[in-house]
């Protein structure tokens, strides 16, 4: 077995915790964890600790939570751990003074097959864009975002009804194994890197916001269904409902019905317990939805207690 490495791990969400746990359970030593500052959340505005911090505390791993990654006191403390290697998973961009610190470098795990889907939300966008494959990549950090030399990759199929939740778990498990393999190969001096190819038509994975998570019914039924799956269970697809008031609703689960019609996209048809919305080439069947200030409900239950006006319709995108 190769010499165990001293590692500082950078990460915040659950996806990163899966990788951290795998590395922690290996023969390598996690000497410290760097994660996001606690943030108030919920109605009580209670300080919320990241998944990574919770795991680190449970396993007696020192936790650093700098608000400024260039602060002299943080740099000094980071150096004190004398790490051989730094591993980054779902964390913000690092300054060179940080990623250039360890002798064996700093690598990042990214949830896409780079160079495709650089950015903040690669898992979501792979499903939204109806890709047939996704994967994970380890690469050395450099000055730009997600552009460093590739160390290793592993791909997987995206199933027909895949959601971001199921793909998230699949890639987290794959990424944990790939990260440990990458650490082992770095320790053994067995890595070769590949410069990321430069293309003019790369697909990106920008941060999700109100505009790009709101459904435009001018798209095909498959495209809208893919958007719903690519945002389920987080952050959830939105749609603008127009009737007596204009309301934003959340749409959780849907299915596709290809059927010719002459209705305007966004038109609503309610048939018994079926709630369907016109798209360009058919109807999207909404199975679960949440109205403002209401709980998430299956459509049958919702229709039993809520009457949509005769002229109710969905707007195409944000107002």
């Amino acid at each position: 077995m190769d010499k165990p490495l001293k590692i500082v791990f950078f990460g915040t969400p659950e996806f990163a915790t899966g990788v951290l746990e795998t590395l922690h359970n290996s023969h390598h030593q996690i000497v410290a964890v760097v994660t996001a500052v606690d943030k108030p959340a919920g109605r009580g505005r209670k300080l919320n600790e990241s998944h990574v911090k919770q795991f680190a505390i449970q396993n007696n791993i020192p936790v650093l939570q700098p608000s400024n990654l260039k602060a002299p006191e943080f740099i000094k403390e980071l150096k004190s751990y004398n790490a051989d290697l730094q591993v980054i998973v779902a964390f913000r961009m690092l300054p060179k003074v940080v990623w250039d610190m360890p002798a064996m470098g700093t690598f990042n795990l990214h949830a896409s097959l780079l160079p495709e889907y650089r950015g903040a939300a690669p898992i979501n966008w792979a499903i939204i864009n109806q890709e047939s494959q996704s994967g994970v990549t380890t690469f050395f950090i450099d000055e730009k975002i997600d552009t460093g030399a590739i160390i290793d990759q592993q791909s997987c199929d995206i199933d027909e009804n895949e959601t971001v939740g199921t793909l998230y778990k699949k890639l987290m498990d794959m990424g944990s194994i790939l990260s440990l393999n990458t650490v082992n190969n770095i320790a053994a001096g067995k890595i070769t890197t590949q410069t990321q190819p430069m293309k003019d038509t790369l697909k990106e994975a920008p941060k999700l916001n109100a505009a790009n998570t709101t459904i435009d019914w001018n798209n095909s039924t498959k495209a809208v269904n893919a958007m719903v799956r690519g945002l389920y269970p987080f952050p959830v697809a939105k749609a603008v409902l127009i009737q007596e008031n204009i309301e934003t609703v959340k749409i959780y689960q849907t299915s596709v019905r290809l059927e010719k019609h002459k209705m305007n996209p966004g038109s609503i048809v309610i048939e018994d317990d079926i709630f369907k919305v016109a798209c360009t080439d058919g109807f999207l069947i909404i199975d679960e939805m949440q109205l403002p200030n209401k709980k998430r409900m299956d459509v049958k239950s919702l229709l039993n207690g809520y009457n949509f006006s005769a002229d109710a319709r969905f707007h195409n995108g944000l107002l």
Side-chain angles (χ1 to χ4, degrees), residues 160-184:
E160 183 179 358
N161 294 314
E162 196 92 65
T163 67
V164 71
T166 58
L167 186 57
Y168 186 98
K169 178 65 166 61
K170 190 185 298 185
L171 295 181
M172 182 173 70
D173 293 343
M174 287 176 52
S176 298
I177 295 169
L178 186 70
S179 295
L180 179 57
N181 289 342
T182 298
V183 171
N184 288 339

Side-chain angles (χ1 to χ4, degrees), residues 10 69-70 74-75 78 83-88 92-108 139-145 147-148:
F10 292 68
L69 293 172
K70 294 182 180 179
F74 168 67
I75 300 300
L78 190 61
D84 301 302
L85 180 70
Q86 293 176 155
V87 178
I88 319 297
R92 63 188 193 267
M93 189 173 182
L94 301 181
K96 184 174 182 179
V97 66
V98 172
W99 60 256
D100 199 36
M101 188 179 295
M104 292 185 172
T106 298
F107 79 80
N108 188 99
F139 66 96
F140 281 118
I141 296 285
D142 64 10
E143 288 89 347
K144 297 181 181 179
I145 297 177
T147 60

Side-chain angles (χ1 to χ4, degrees), residues 211-269:
N212 61 26
T213 60
T214 300
I215 294 172
D216 184 345
W217 302 95
N218 282 311
N219 291 316
S220 70
T221 50
K222 286 187 176 180
V224 177
N225 183 56
M227 181 177 182
V228 173
R229 290 186 290 106
L231 298 171
Y232 178 80
F234 51 86
V236 184
K238 316 298 189 302
V240 177
L241 178 64
I242 300 176
Q243 43 182 350
E244 289 88 352
N245 299 310
I246 297 174
E247 302 175 319
T248 298
V249 304
K250 295 181 179 180
I251 296 177
Y252 290 87
Q253 295 196 17
T254 57
S255 56
V256 169
R257 180 180 291 179
L258 296 178
E259 182 181 321
K260 290 183 179 179
H261 63 80
K262 296 183 179 179
M263 304 180 72
N264 292 325
S267 298
I268 294 171
V269 179

